[in-house]
Each structure stands twice: as C-alpha cells, then as structure tokens.
C-alpha cells in the first residue's frame, strides 16, 4: 500500500461512516458525529472530564469501545453510546482518531 493511501485510510473510513446514513425526513447522526459531541471531531475534548482521543493507540481505542459496549468497562454514558456501534464502526472510529495529530 502506498504511503499516500495508507495516510488516507482513516479519513476514508470516517467518510464512509458519515455517508453510511441515508438522507431521510428525520435527521440522523453518524457515530463520528455522536463521538464528536464530547470528544471533538478533531479528537480534542472540550471538557476537562472527557479524554482526548487524538493520536491515541488505534487497537487500545478499539478494545475500549468493545469493553464499554459489553459492560466490561463500566461508564454509563459510554455504555449507552457504544452499544449501538458496530465492529466496523468501532474499527473506523479508532483508525480515524488514532490518525489525528495531538
């Protein structure tokens, strides 16, 4: 895989997530938009009690989302948010946030 394509992979994954939701009468948000509410689209949280996700380890973030989703890692808000995220979405979100500069 070329360097250019490798560098674009996380962005392509997040764009795929954003485009995965068809237009409808009721506006729906993508998982990336939902995460961005607290963690920022740039991965920099705006609140002191929310962790920054930019430049975090991709595998670590993926495993944490699965732990929140299963309830192995207790956190009320994250359990609620993660339970509707598919494995592919968790992977794409992890790749996206890991690709961002700190």
């Amino acid at each position: 895989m070329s360097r250019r394509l490798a560098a674009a992979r996380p962005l392509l994954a997040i764009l795929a997530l954003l485009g995965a939701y068809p237009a409808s009468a009721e506006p729906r948000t993508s998982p990336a938009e939902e995460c961005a509410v607290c963690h920022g689209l740039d991965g920099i949280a705006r609140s002191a009690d929310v962790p920054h996700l930019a430049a975090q380890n991709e595998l670590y973030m993926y495993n944490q989302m699965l732990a929140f989703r299963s309830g192995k890692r207790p956190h009320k808000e994250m359990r609620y948010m993660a339970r509707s995220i598919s494995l592919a979405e968790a992977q794409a979100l992890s790749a996206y946030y890991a690709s961002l500069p700190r």
Side-chain angles (χ1 to χ4, degrees):
M1 182 182 312
S2 74
R3 284 178 136 180
R4 203 171 184 179
L5 185 56
R9 187 181 129 230
L11 181 57
L12 293 173
I14 205 69
L15 290 174
L17 280 176
L18 290 171
Y21 295 87
S24 68
E26 300 260 339
R28 293 175 50 179
T29 59
S30 73
E33 291 170 317
E34 291 174 4
C35 294
V37 170
C38 296
H39 296 284
L41 195 55
D42 61 354
I44 306 300
R46 305 304 185 253
S47 178
D49 61 340
V50 176
H52 299 314
L53 299 182
Q56 289 291 332
N57 180 279
E58 183 177 343
L59 182 58
Y60 173 79
M61 283 191 290
Y62 177 76
N63 287 329
Q64 294 313 301
M65 280 190 265
L66 296 185
F68 286 128
R69 193 173 95 158
S70 71
K72 287 182 182 178
R73 182 171 177 185
H75 189 278
K76 183 179 175 183
E77 291 82 7
M78 283 302 301
R79 169 99 168 119
Y80 176 79
M81 298 303 291
R83 70 182 180 180
S84 64
I85 293 175
S86 72
L87 296 179
E89 291 168 335
Q91 185 177 15
L93 288 165
S94 298
Y96 171 71
Y97 280 112
S99 74
L100 297 175
R102 194 167 275 257

